[in-house]
């Protein structure tokens, strides 16, 4: 039976980790990820899980330990945020090529400089090109469920790729909400045990991991990684269907909210999507035909499905919580890409909001919708929400 | 009661407003409500001004915006009102202001410029008397629930026991509950 608890997003992810009972967790505390590791360490200390917890001296070591454990055949997890992700980057970038199914919760936080501990998506959006699967969560409940889904997705034999599971720093990680924690046994059955085809500690079947690959085979190995990403699109849905049996929730690539007859929609990730849904409801009450699309799976990006979902609208505003400095913002770029093949491209507008934890209110979202409905749009211009003049 | 009830707590770091906002939320959670409890984080150091929020609702909460139009404001240190607009967004018609002070309601109205419903409580006095520390959070919650009825006294008692029995022991937990009840009786209009 499932249990309702009052949990922070960080605690909710720790609950998922408790139920998955990984063999190894190596992590270094960093704001605002710290409470995940703190809570999980208490599970270890109290004997609730039998995980080998390795406190390390830096994030670089944390990911190095996690890689070593995963290569040895363990289910190994890590968790980090912002500067921590930046510090472990060298090893993070190696994981997809090593084909190690590491799941790493990320508590999204702005990157220095200037130093800032609050939420934006700069940390994870900087890691979209290196082969990690990325799933974004709106609230504590989704962070919990996405973590469970990620374990099965990462370890699937057709995928074998690492996954980052995102939640918004402080807004979700430190906010207490109602969370439905599913039955321990049901979850344990769902995540099962990691059963790798090959692993370093299997001394009867030795294999090489992380060899030198010169121009002869490097390219081919990278091409296989891309094939695994393509497979991940299919496996994500399959694993999601299985999880649905426990949770009763759906796991689509993206959530469509009141889009059926919508003229203007916004595309937005994570916690701000919750605020935006309330704005959509209020505008619907005023008779305005507005809706929302919230991507969940960002890598691999479901271009075809996104095009089909979006091409019917007149105007689309894409709200990014990070910038790509000198290029279109990350989410906006993907929406543009998805719509290129469309016969009837909607009018697009890019917005940046919430960098370094700048608040976003329903009233801001309503202004965006008003602008989208007014038609005063310029797809080549980036607009800024709540930026001081 | 409103569909969504919103509380904002102004305090100094170390006075327990973050825990207070969470205890309140969890008491409501026990009563089957949808809840949110979240602090505003700055650079934390003891004595620095803090803000914590609690949302209580009959329906699922989706918004993640800060609370700008609270139904009730708790001020844990009256000195905060000198530099912070503690009643910002609080309606003079329906809003409720509760201040931890030995000053009178009229004096608080003068200090804050707020002419709505004001209540005062010597929460620090209660805490010093019972626990010998300045931890006004539990008494302030006692005052809030007396004035607003947003959660039951018993729900809060239960949550306090759950949170602190292991950490503080039975004697201190009982003192906290005594503080809660004293505040419930002593809050003045």
């Amino acid at each position: 039976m499932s249990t309702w608890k009052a949990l922070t997003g960080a605690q909710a992810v720790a609950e998922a980790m408790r139920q998955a009972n990984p063999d190894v967790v190596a992590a270094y505390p960093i704001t605002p990820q710290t409470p995940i590791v703190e809570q999980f360490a208490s599970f270890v200390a109290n004997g609730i899980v039998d995980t080998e917890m390795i406190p390390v001296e830096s994030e670089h070591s944390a990911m190095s330990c996690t890689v070593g454990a995963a290569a040895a055949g363990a289910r190994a997890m890590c968790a980090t945020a912002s500067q921590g992700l930046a510090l472990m980057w060298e090893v993070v970038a190696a994981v997809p090529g090593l084909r190690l199914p590491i799941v790493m919760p990320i508590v999204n936080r702005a990157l220095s400089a200037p130093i800032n501990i609050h939420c934006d998506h700069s940390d994870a959006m900087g890691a979209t090109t290196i082969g990690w699967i990325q799933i974004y969560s709106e609230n504590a409940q989704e962070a919990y469920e996405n973590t469970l889904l990620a374990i099965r997705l990462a370890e699937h034999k057709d995928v074998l790729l690492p996954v980052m599971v995102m939640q918004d720093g402080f807004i979700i990680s430190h906010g207490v909400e109602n969370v439905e924690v599913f039955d321990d046994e049901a979850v344990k059955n769902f995540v099962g045990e990691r059963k790798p085809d090959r692993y370093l500690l299997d001394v009867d079947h030795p294999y090489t991991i992380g060899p030198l690959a010169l121009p002869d085979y490097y390219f081919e190995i990278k091409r296989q990684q891309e094939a695994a990403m393509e497979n991940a699109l299919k496996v994500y849905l399959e694993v999601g269907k299985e999880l649905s049996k426990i949770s009763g929730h759906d796991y689509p690539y993206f959530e469509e909210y009141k889009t059926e007859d919508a003229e203007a929609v916004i595309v937005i990730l994570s916690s701000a999507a919750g605020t935006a849904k309330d704005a959509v409801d209020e505008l619907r009450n005023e008779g305005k035909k507005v809706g929302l699309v919230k991507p969940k799976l960002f890598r691999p990006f479901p271009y075809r499905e996104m095009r089909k979902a979006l091409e019917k609208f007149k105007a689309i505003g894409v709200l990014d919580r990070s910038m790509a400095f000198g290029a279109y913002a990350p989410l906006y770029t993907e929406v543009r890409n998805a719509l290129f093949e469309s016969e009837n491209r909607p009018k697009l507008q890019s917005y940046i909001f919430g960098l370094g934890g700048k608040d976003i209110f329903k009233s801001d979202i309503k202004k965006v919708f008003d602008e989208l409905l007014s038609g005063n749009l310029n797809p080549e211009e980036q607009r800024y929400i709540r930026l001081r003049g | 009661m409103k569909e969504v009830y919103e509380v904002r707590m102004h305090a100094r770091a170390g006075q327990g407003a973050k825990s207070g906002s969470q205890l309140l939320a969890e008491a409501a959670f026990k009563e089957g409500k949808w809840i949110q409890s979240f602090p505003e984080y700055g650079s934390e150091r003891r004595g620095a001004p803090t803000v914590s929020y609690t949302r209580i609702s009959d329906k699922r909460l989706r918004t993640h915006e800060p609370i700008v139009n609270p139904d009730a404001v708790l001020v844990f240190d009256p000195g905060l009102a000198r530099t912070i607009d503690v009643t910002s967004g609080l309606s003079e018609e329906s809003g409720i202001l509760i201040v931890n002070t030995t000053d009178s309601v009229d004096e608080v109205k003068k200090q804050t410029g707020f002419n709505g419903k004001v209540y005062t409580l010597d929460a620090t006095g209660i805490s010093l008397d019972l626990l010998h520390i300045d931890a006004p959070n539990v008494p302030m919650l006692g005052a809030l629930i007396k004035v607003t009825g947003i959660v039951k006294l018993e729900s809060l008692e239960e949550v306090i026991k759950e949170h602190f029995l292991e950490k503080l022991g039975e004697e201190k937990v009982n003192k906290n509950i005594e503080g809660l009840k004293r505040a419930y009786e002593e809050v003045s209009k």
Side-chain angles (χ1 to χ4, degrees):
Chain A
M1 236 189 54
S2 65
T3 319
W4 284 92
K5 297 184 180 182
L7 297 177
T8 63
Q11 289 169 331
V13 162
E15 281 290 295
M17 291 168 71
R18 173 184 68 74
Q19 293 181 314
N21 193 10
D23 301 299
V24 173
V25 169
Y28 188 81
I30 182 160
T31 302
Q33 158 266 28
T34 307
I36 296 180
V37 183
E38 190 182 355
Q39 177 78 52
F40 190 75
S42 83
F43 292 146
V44 175
N46 294 332
I48 292 167
V49 293
D50 56 11
T51 303
E52 178 83 31
M53 177 116 193
I54 310 175
V56 285
E57 76 284 8
S58 79
E59 283 85 358
H60 192 278
S61 303
M63 188 42 73
S64 298
C65 277
T66 311
V67 163
R75 176 178 285 160
M77 295 180 76
C78 187
T80 195
S82 182
Q83 301 306 112
L85 180 61
L87 183 58
M88 65 168 69
W89 182 266
E90 183 190 15
V91 194
V92 169
V95 180
L98 295 168
R99 305 298 297 276
L100 295 175
I102 291 168
V103 172
M104 176 159 68
I106 303 280
V107 183
N108 293 123
R109 163 187 155 185
L111 277 176
S112 286
I115 192 162
N116 178 298
I117 58 168
H118 293 282
C119 175
D120 70 34
H121 298 159
S122 308
D123 50 3
M125 286 301 175
T128 52
T129 58
I130 53 170
W132 281 66
I133 293 167
Q134 289 198 343
I135 310 174
Y136 286 78
S137 320
E138 180 183 323
N139 48 37
Q141 184 72 43
E142 283 194 6
Y144 164 70
E145 295 177 33
N146 288 341
T147 305
L148 297 176
L149 190 155
I151 293 169
R152 285 285 306 278
L153 174 58
E155 293 176 4
H156 193 282
K157 65 175 173 46
D158 297 337
V159 178
L160 292 176
L161 288 173
V163 186
M164 294 182 190
V165 180
M166 264 53 91
Q167 63 175 290
D168 279 352
F170 288 110
I171 302 164
I172 300 305
S173 64
H174 287 60
V176 180
E177 300 181 346
N178 309 53
V179 177
E180 185 181 9
V181 177
F182 308 132
D183 180 69
D184 278 0
E185 279 313 304
V187 171
K188 278 182 200 306
N189 288 337
F190 170 77
V191 294
E193 281 208 21
R194 185 184 165 204
K195 293 195 186 74
D197 285 348
R198 41 183 201 175
Y199 53 100
L200 285 182
L201 290 185
D202 182 6
V203 290
D204 296 331
H205 305 92
Y207 90 110
T208 304
I209 182 165
L212 178 72
L214 292 174
D216 52 356
Y217 273 108
Y218 180 89
F219 197 174
E220 284 69 19
I221 289 166
K222 289 291 143 183
R223 175 64 185 91
Q224 289 179 331
Q225 244 177 268
E226 180 59 17
M229 268 291 185
E230 286 161 25
N231 294 343
L233 275 174
K234 196 170 121 252
V235 174
Y236 172 87
L237 294 180
E238 285 170 11
V239 172
K241 278 207 184 91
E242 264 189 68
L243 184 55
S244 291
K245 286 179 198 153
I246 300 172
S247 69
H249 302 150
D250 294 331
Y251 304 91
Y253 296 140
F254 44 84
E255 180 187 344
E256 296 167 271
Y257 185 73
K258 302 205 171 167
T259 53
E260 213 136 278
D261 61 339
E263 288 171 8
V265 301
I266 63 167
V267 183
I268 190 166
L269 294 167
S270 300
S271 68
T275 309
K277 285 179 200 165
D278 279 2
V280 166
D281 283 3
E282 287 181 17
L283 291 174
R284 282 272 169 184
N285 286 340
E286 294 169 22
K288 292 181 179 159
K289 290 184 173 171
V290 298
L292 172 146
V293 171
K294 179 191 77 182
K296 292 160 73 86
L297 186 67
F298 191 75
R299 282 292 180 275
F301 196 85
Y303 289 104
R304 214 166 305 124
E305 294 77 6
M306 189 61 89
R307 170 172 59 78
K308 282 182 191 150
L310 295 181
E311 64 187 356
K312 56 182 178 282
F313 308 124
K314 283 189 185 144
I316 298 171
V318 183
L319 277 67
D320 272 273
R321 200 163 196 155
S322 67
M323 286 198 273
F325 302 103
Y328 291 132
L331 182 56
Y332 184 63
T333 296
E334 302 311 358
V335 170
R336 269 178 86 94
N337 279 343
L339 286 166
F340 184 78
E341 305 300 333
S342 180
E343 304 273 312
N344 301 303
R345 279 200 291 270
K347 283 225 161 94
L348 292 181
Q349 181 61 54
S350 170
Y351 296 90
I352 307 293
F353 76 99
L355 296 201
K358 178 84 80 184
D359 291 323
I360 182 150
F361 293 90
K362 260 187 306 194
S363 52
D364 300 315
I365 307 282
K366 286 183 176 177
K367 271 186 221 153
V368 166
F369 276 121
D370 283 342
E371 202 160 81
L372 294 174
L373 291 167
S374 79
N376 170 28
L377 308 178
N378 180 352
E380 294 183 324
E381 176 192 58
Q382 192 162 276
R383 292 178 185 168
Y384 301 89
I385 298 171
R386 281 191 106 78
L387 186 70
R388 285 173 195 251
Chain B
M1 206 177 98
K2 286 179 60 191
E3 198 171 52
V4 183
Y5 200 88
E6 298 179 310
V7 182
R8 190 172 70 211
M9 305 185 190
H10 291 277
R12 294 191 182 278
Q15 287 188 305
K18 183 182 167 229
S19 310
S21 107
Q22 193 167 337
L23 293 172
L24 177 64
E26 288 189 25
F29 171 81
K30 278 200 176 302
E31 296 176 9
K33 301 286 170 109
W34 293 92
I35 52 112
Q36 284 180 346
S37 158
F38 52 103
E40 209 166 78
Y41 283 87
S43 48
E44 295 301 299
R45 64 223 178 270
R46 191 165 278 264
T50 66
V51 190
S52 306
Y53 305 95
T54 305
R55 255 193 202 106
I56 298 172
S57 171
D58 291 325
K59 60 168 197 179
R60 186 183 285 269
L61 288 163
R62 295 184 304 199
T63 187
H64 286 106
E65 59 183 350
I67 292 169
V68 286
N69 296 112
D71 299 291
V73 169
L74 307 187
V75 180
F76 286 41
D77 180 335
L80 289 167
R82 285 200 292 272
T83 49
I84 295 166
D85 182 8
V86 292
T87 57
S88 164
L90 187 67
S91 154
E92 291 204 330
E93 279 80 59
S94 58
I96 285 164
L97 175 67
I98 306 175
V99 182
N100 171 22
T101 180
T102 50
D103 292 344
S104 71
V105 166
D106 284 340
E107 280 166 320
V108 169
K109 283 187 177 173
K110 224 177 283 165
Q111 290 155 10
T112 58
F114 180 76
N115 290 307
K117 285 181 201 137
V118 176
Y119 300 83
T120 61
L121 174 77
D122 183 12
T124 292
I126 292 174
S127 175
L128 284 175
D129 187 28
L130 293 169
L131 294 156
H132 313 298
I133 53 165
D134 177 15
N137 57 355
V138 169
M140 288 298 279
L141 293 180
L144 175 73
I145 62 171
K146 172 71 175 285
V147 171
T148 63
I150 47 171
V151 299
K152 292 193 195 84
L153 192 63
E154 302 82 64
S155 310
L156 252 177
E157 266 182 56
E158 232 178 287
V159 170
I160 288 168
K161 279 183 198 155
E162 278 172 16
H163 264 256
F164 298 120
L165 202 55
E166 206 175 313
K167 206 168 147 191
L168 300 179
E170 203 175 339
E171 193 192 332
K172 280 193 178 154
V173 165
N174 287 340
K175 295 265 185 198
N176 265 296
I177 289 170
E178 197 183 330
L180 178 74
K181 289 180 175 164
R182 241 174 83 177
Y184 193 84
E185 298 308 324
E186 284 178 17
V187 60
S188 56
K189 211 171 183 173

